[in-house]
């Protein structure tokens, strides 16, 4: 996906924001969107040039055929958010603009040649393209953090509760640690940039403290995927952003999908508690339904499970979520049920080599791991447990068919 791609979310699809808005919340989205937007064309007979954003072939004077002075459709403002202030996608894809509600705040009349990791260093990368003249790449994360704090401050006297979705541009590329965190991490530019993420989260938490909102606010901090931390990065630094897990972002391995899910809710979540439930970010919608007591309408959140019991520290005897399905960058699926994880493909399916092969799995069509005893995915049990392989393959196939 580039940030000129059309909206991924159907206009009539219930979102966390539209659900909470219907439950009496004021809703805001501040940060990185990357779910497609309905840009309007200058010339309706010509396509919008999505290739520019992805392939980095945008040259000065090129035209993306977007009328940036017109309303942007299909974004947060059309999907349940009362207020939104976003960058269209990752901060390494043009056009580089801020959008408040439905309007670009400053037309992208300038051009950036981009940054090249070979020249500017690991992680210091963005593609060439259109940019608003006053947009400062180095200041995007601090600027968005200021916007989030301002939003929370603006709700302090409101009668209605609020929901803030704050998707950070970091630690995705470009890695741009500010002066005050440079050299603070012993893990290079990436580690320093993560320290800036910590500061952003800390600033939001501090604001809640100052406004006496901490005791009645549920905070969730999580990630959409594992870190892009290559074998070269591992050689250079002792830091392990994907912990002990195999692989990295985009891979079907645990390093691509298993991420921290940290929640704080005074009086409801016991401090320091952990849950053994396997959960997925799609479970937020049903969990919020459990918290608010407002039922989800028919057809909403079909793949969402209410994890309230896990939040409150009372894991149930049977898992809430029957199974979880993952997908890699290049189309590999895996299914996790109880302790078992089946991948009916070989290789990472993502960034790690080999992508579509495993020299240690000659004659096998996939992998089966017991994640309870083998969380590092070192021992492939595909040949030893054909019944489990067949069972999980059937469940995965039925899921793909929407059954």
């Amino acid at each position: 996906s580039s940030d000129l791609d059309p909206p991924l979310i159907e206009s009539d699809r219930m979102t966390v924001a539209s659900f909470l808005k219907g439950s009496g919340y004021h809703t805001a989205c501040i940060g990185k969107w990357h779910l497609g937007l309905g840009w309007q064309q200058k010339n309706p007979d010509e396509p919008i040039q999505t290739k520019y954003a992805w392939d980095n072939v945008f040259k000065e004077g090129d035209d993306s055929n977007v009328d940036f002075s017109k309303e942007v459709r299909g974004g947060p403002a059309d999907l349940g958010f009362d207020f939104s202030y976003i960058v269209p996608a990752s901060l390494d894809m043009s056009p580089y603009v801020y959008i408040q509600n439905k309007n670009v705040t400053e037309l992208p009349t300038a051009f950036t040649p981009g940054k090249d990791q070979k020249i500017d260093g690991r992680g210091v990368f963005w593609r060439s393209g259109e940019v608003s003249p006053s947009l400062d790449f180095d200041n995007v994360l601090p600027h968005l953090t200021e916007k989030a704090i301002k939003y929370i401050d603006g709700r302090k006297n409101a009668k209605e509760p609020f929901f803030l979705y704050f998707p950070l541009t970091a630690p995705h590329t470009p890695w741009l640690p500010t002066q005050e965190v440079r050299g603070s991490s012993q893990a290079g530019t990436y580690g320093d940039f993560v320290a800036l993420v910590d500061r952003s989260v800390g600033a939001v938490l501090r604001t809640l403290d100052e406004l006496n909102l901490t005791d009645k606010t549920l905070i969730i901090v999580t990630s959409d995927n594992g870190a892009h931390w290559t074998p070269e990065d591992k050689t250079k630094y002792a830091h392990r952003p994907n912990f002990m897990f195999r692989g990295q972002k985009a891979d079907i391995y645990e390093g691509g999908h298993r991420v921290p899910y940290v929640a704080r809710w005074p009086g409801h979540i016991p401090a320091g508690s952990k849950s053994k439930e396997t959960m997925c970010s799609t479970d937020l919608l049903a969990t919020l339904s459990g918290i608010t007591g407002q039922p989800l309408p028919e057809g909403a959140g079909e793949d969402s499970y209410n994890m309230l019991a896990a939040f409150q520290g009372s894991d149930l005897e049977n898992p809430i979520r029957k199974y979880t399905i993952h997908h890699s960058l290049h189309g590999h699926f895996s299914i996790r049920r109880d302790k078992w994880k089946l991948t009916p493909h070989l290789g990472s399916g993502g960034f790690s080599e080999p992508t579509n092969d495993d020299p240690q799995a000659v004659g096998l069509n996939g992998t089966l791991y017991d994640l309870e005893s083998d969380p590092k995915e070192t021992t492939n049990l595909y040949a030893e447990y054909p019944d489990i392989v067949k069972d999980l393959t059937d469940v995965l196939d039925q899921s793909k068919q929407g059954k």
Side-chain angles (χ1 to χ4, degrees), residues 110-125:
F111 171 79
T112 173
K115 290 270 185 183
D116 185 334
Q117 296 189 80
K118 294 190 190 84
I119 299 163
D120 300 292
R122 170 82 172 105
V124 185
F125 163 75

Side-chain angles (χ1 to χ4, degrees), residues 127-366:
R127 296 169 178 86
S128 59
E130 296 158 297
V131 60
S132 299
S134 69
L135 187 141
D136 174 5
F137 285 82
D138 290 285
N139 194 46
V140 169
L141 182 60
H143 176 62
L144 292 171
T145 305
E146 278 168 31
K147 285 283 181 186
I149 288 168
K150 192 176 172 194
Y151 170 76
I152 295 168
D153 188 65
R155 303 307 303 162
K156 65 186 172 200
N157 298 319
K159 289 193 173 65
E160 68 209 309
F162 69 87
F163 165 65
L164 170 61
Y165 171 49
F166 184 31
L168 307 177
T169 47
H172 197 287
T173 49
W175 298 347
L176 300 170
T178 53
Q179 196 59 50
E180 67 260 32
V181 294
R182 269 186 215 143
S184 65
S185 71
Q186 289 93 54
T189 313
Y190 178 80
D192 295 351
F193 202 33
V194 171
L196 192 62
V197 171
D198 287 347
R199 287 174 81 105
S200 288
V201 174
V204 170
L205 297 182
R206 225 171 15 257
T207 304
L208 293 171
D209 286 346
E210 287 161 6
L211 299 174
N212 294 316
L213 293 171
T214 297
D215 285 348
K216 52 182 179 182
T217 304
L218 165 60
I219 299 266
I220 295 169
V221 180
T222 187
S223 176
D224 54 348
N225 48 249
H228 184 201
W229 199 244
T230 65
E232 292 75 33
D233 294 324
K234 285 183 173 182
T235 304
K236 202 167 180 187
Y237 301 104
H239 180 53
R240 294 291 178 266
N242 297 321
F243 188 40
M244 63 179 176
F245 301 116
R246 183 180 182 184
Q248 57 179 315
K249 171 183 174 172
D251 294 350
I252 203 63
Y253 305 132
E254 291 294 276
H257 296 273
R258 197 189 287 215
V259 295
Y261 194 99
V262 184
R264 186 184 79 182
W265 191 16
H268 297 272
I269 298 177
S273 60
K274 292 179 182 176
S275 169
K276 288 195 173 111
E277 291 287 342
T278 301
M279 60 190 292
C280 179
S281 50
T282 57
D283 296 330
L284 182 60
L285 183 54
T287 304
L288 291 172
S289 168
I291 288 170
T292 60
Q294 299 284 326
L296 288 177
E298 192 70 31
E302 310 93 315
D303 51 359
S304 193
Y305 290 80
N306 179 4
M307 291 287 166
L308 187 53
F311 274 46
Q312 293 172 327
S314 53
D315 282 349
L316 304 174
E317 203 169 310
N318 295 313
I320 299 169
R321 174 178 264 286
K322 294 179 186 130
Y323 53 82
T324 308
I325 292 174
H326 295 305
H327 188 258
S328 80
L329 178 66
H330 298 305
H332 287 196
F333 280 95
S334 72
I335 180 167
R336 164 85 187 268
R337 189 178 68 189
D338 303 325
K339 66 179 186 176
W340 297 107
K341 176 181 173 183
L342 170 84
T343 305
H345 322 263
L346 295 176
S348 75
F351 289 155
S352 297
E353 297 292 338
T355 306
N356 294 302
D357 186 28
D358 182 351
Q360 294 175 338
V362 179
L364 300 180
N365 295 319

